[in-house]
Amino acid sequence: MKLLEERIKKDGQLLGEEVLKVDSFLNQQIDPELMKEMGKEFYRLFKDNNITKILTVESSGIAPALMAGYEFGVPVVFARKHKSLTLKDHLYSATVYSFTKQTSNEIAISQKFLNEDDNVLLIDDFLANGQAVKGMLEILDQANASLGGVGIVIEKSFQKGRQLLDDEGIHVESLARIASFENGQVNFVEED
Amino acid sequence: MKLLEERIKKDGQLLGEEVLKVDSFLNQQIDPELMKEMGKEFYRLFKDNNITKILTVESSGIAPALMAGYEFGVPVVFARKHKSLTLKDHLYSATVYSFTKQTSNEIAISQKFLNEDDNVLLIDDFLANGQAVKGMLEILDQANASLGGVGIVIEKSFQKGRQLLDDEGIHVESLARIASFENGQVNFVEED
């Protein structure tokens, strides 16, 4: 998505070798107009997949997921993050390890919001090592819901998450795919 | 806002004497169409206030704030919640006490997202004792930003938050105002 790539080039900040900070339009300050365009793009990419619900993880996934949900006309569910869960009654939950922060979180949703009739589009802000998506897939499994696809805002293609999902035959679409960071520059994957 | 009142009557769950659960359309599952209508209503209510930015708190404030931001054509900033903050460099932060959970959280935003040129609409999902709004007002103070108004999705008018803000002459608009819970029924404030 050209608009997003341009925005990343303009406002993204590289920290070290692997971290891209986009808190000026996605992760803390949000550009609603850009989110709207992203929602439309997710709809274009997955509109034939019979999506009944969108699942994401708080907090940065909520804005793109909401705008996509509006385009699809389906509810959006966001999993909450917990340091630990003592009581798992009536919850679907999974453990998500963050390589960046080197900590684990539990993500959980109430069981009443997903069931076997749902065909779910997973949306997240970043795809790096694929841990958050793996956690959401575990939740779908527990709910016997089907997977309608995975929509990612920014994919770091040089990390292993995308390969991992491709290997499982999962339909993944990323709005921006980063091939590498070089000399403070972002290089995007060239699309055919 | 009639649409919201009807939805609360239909899908809201009363827990005990003071807690209203609306996780089926706002706090965990989100209805994008309803959020869109709420965004339009916030715009109608505050469109003459020269709003330059919207501030909310993660996670449940993000959806209504985003849809309002889209209508106003201004950025949305969400404060992050932390159990505690050891490092406050480059942050504006405030302590928010939750009477429901009986715990304190720090809320914080990066200093780069608010300044003295901003006229800010605060948006939150609930107004009960007013602690979250008070925290956001502290952040505006630290940034020397001005307050353009406070937009609330659901106000529990029988708790002290609304009175507290009225006493300070703050322009507050709530999309639904709950006067009381009686026998498992929600009673709304009668508007003139």
Side-chain angles (χ1 to χ4, degrees), chain A residues 13 23-24 27-30 32-33 53 58-60 63 70 74-78 80 109-110 112-113, chain B residues 13 23-24 27-30 32-33 53 58-60 63 66 70 74-78 80 109-110 112-113:
Chain A
Q13 274 183 288
D23 60 352
S24 68
N27 292 142
Q28 172 149 122
Q29 179 165 267
I30 309 173
E33 180 64 45
K53 206 159 266 190
E58 66 177 355
S59 291
S60 297
Y70 182 77
V74 302
V76 173
V77 178
F78 65 89
R80 290 190 177 271
I109 64 162
S110 169
K112 61 187 169 183
F113 299 129
Chain B
Q13 274 184 289
D23 60 352
S24 68
N27 292 141
Q28 172 148 121
Q29 180 165 267
I30 308 172
E33 181 63 46
K53 205 159 265 189
E58 67 177 354
S59 288
S60 297
L66 178 68
Y70 183 77
V74 303
V76 173
V77 178
F78 64 89
R80 291 190 177 271
I109 64 162
S110 170
K112 61 186 169 184
F113 298 130

Side-chain angles (χ1 to χ4, degrees), chain B residues 62-162:
Chain B
I62 294 175
L66 178 68
M67 287 304 196
Y70 183 77
E71 298 299 321
F72 281 93
V74 303
V76 173
V77 178
F78 64 89
R80 291 190 177 271
K81 282 179 195 161
H82 303 261
K83 271 289 145 229
S84 63
L85 275 173
T86 40
L87 203 67
K88 297 193 183 180
D89 292 358
H90 314 295
L91 294 179
Y92 299 126
S93 67
T95 305
V96 172
Y97 181 74
S98 162
F99 285 91
T100 319
K101 297 180 189 159
Q102 302 198 347
T103 53
S104 285
N105 272 305
E106 301 280 322
I107 60 169
I109 64 162
S110 170
Q111 292 183 358
K112 61 186 169 184
F113 298 130
L114 268 190
N115 63 51
E116 70 272 15
D117 296 328
D118 281 315
N119 188 45
V120 183
L121 175 60
L122 307 181
I123 286 189
D124 209 4
D125 56 339
F126 273 96
L127 175 64
N129 291 290
Q131 299 299 301
V133 171
K134 261 182 62 184
M136 288 193 275
L137 290 172
E138 262 183 74
I139 284 176
L140 291 198
D141 253 9
Q142 292 166 25
N144 289 315
S146 7
L147 176 67
V150 175
I152 298 293
V153 178
I154 301 172
E155 171 189 315
K156 296 197 277 186
S157 310
F158 56 87
Q159 287 178 284
K160 67 173 192 214
R162 176 60 186 259

Side-chain angles (χ1 to χ4, degrees), chain A residues 52 57 78 180:
Chain A
T52 66
V57 177
F78 65 89
S180 64

Side-chain angles (χ1 to χ4, degrees), chain B residues 17-50:
Chain B
E17 307 259 300
E18 295 196 343
V19 177
L20 173 69
K21 230 178 142 179
V22 289
D23 60 352
S24 68
F25 59 90
L26 178 60
N27 292 141
Q28 172 148 121
Q29 180 165 267
I30 308 172
D31 177 343
E33 181 63 46
L34 178 64
M35 295 303 125
K36 175 79 170 178
E37 292 306 315
M38 287 171 13
K40 286 185 193 168
E41 183 67 4
F42 281 129
Y43 179 71
R44 192 183 68 78
L45 293 164
F46 292 103
K47 66 178 184 306
D48 300 324
N49 292 28
N50 301 310

Side-chain angles (χ1 to χ4, degrees), chain A residues 32-143:
Chain A
E33 180 64 45
L34 178 65
M35 296 303 125
K36 176 79 170 180
E37 292 307 314
M38 288 171 12
K40 286 185 193 168
E41 183 66 6
F42 282 128
Y43 180 71
R44 191 184 68 79
L45 293 164
F46 293 103
K47 66 179 184 303
D48 300 325
N49 293 29
N50 299 311
I51 303 300
T52 66
K53 206 159 266 190
I54 292 173
L55 177 63
T56 188
V57 177
E58 66 177 355
S59 291
S60 297
I62 294 175
L66 178 68
M67 286 304 195
Y70 182 77
E71 298 299 321
F72 281 94
V74 302
V76 173
V77 178
F78 65 89
R80 290 190 177 271
K81 283 179 194 159
H82 304 260
K83 270 289 144 229
S84 64
L85 275 173
T86 41
L87 202 67
K88 298 192 183 181
D89 292 359
H90 315 296
L91 294 179
Y92 299 126
S93 68
T95 305
V96 173
Y97 181 74
S98 162
F99 285 90
T100 320
K101 297 181 189 160
Q102 303 199 349
T103 54
S104 285
N105 273 305
E106 302 281 320
I107 61 169
I109 64 162
S110 169
Q111 291 183 358
K112 61 187 169 183
F113 299 129
L114 269 190
N115 64 50
E116 70 272 16
D117 297 327
D118 281 315
N119 188 45
V120 183
L121 174 60
L122 306 182
I123 287 189
D124 209 4
D125 56 338
F126 273 95
L127 176 63
N129 291 291
Q131 299 300 301
V133 170
K134 261 183 62 185
M136 287 193 277
L137 289 171
E138 263 184 73
I139 284 177
L140 291 198
D141 253 10
Q142 292 166 25

